[in-house]
Amino acid sequence: QVQLVESGGGLVQAGGSLRLSCAASGSIFSINGMGWYRQAPGKQRELVAYIISIGRTNYADSVKGRFTISRDNAKNTVYLQMNSLKPEDTAVYYCNANVVATTTNRPYTYWGQGTQVTVSS
């Protein structure tokens, strides 16, 4: 029904930048919030950033001032610009979207497959 495809992960040195993208496709009627979560080895998945609309964003304290979330509603895409990366940002990053599908008419949360971000010291 609905698929989320992430891109943009990779290996970067500390202090560097990466930009993650996540495109939603399929039987989409509307998208409410979109966001990014991450999971490091041995740790629980945690919220990184979430966006409902311009001005309505939420960030984890650990990334405030370094990461910026944005979305392009025309493309059903959410972005995460990550600057001043630190080794502790190393994790698998997952895209998340609350979508009303045309087939269900109800909101449901979908997840992407994850993209690895590795920050070397």
Side-chain angles (χ1 to χ4, degrees), residues 13-84:
Q13 288 188 332
S17 299
L18 283 174
R19 188 191 193 209
L20 305 183
S21 300
C22 171
S25 63
S27 306
I28 298 171
F29 176 73
S30 65
I31 300 178
N32 299 319
M34 301 185 80
W36 292 93
Y37 288 70
R38 68 186 180 186
Q39 188 167 18
K43 295 188 177 181
Q44 289 188 331
R45 190 173 298 188
E46 62 176 0
L47 172 69
V48 176
Y50 202 80
I51 182 169
I52 296 176
S53 62
I54 295 176
R56 296 183 66 188
T57 57
N58 185 33
Y59 292 93
D61 288 341
S62 59
V63 307
K64 283 181 181 177
R66 300 188 298 121
F67 291 10
T68 302
I69 190 169
S70 61
R71 62 187 283 185
D72 184 332
N73 292 331
K75 296 181 179 179
N76 291 333
T77 299
V78 63
Y79 305 96
L80 185 68
Q81 178 66 44
M82 305 185 293
N83 299 327
S84 303

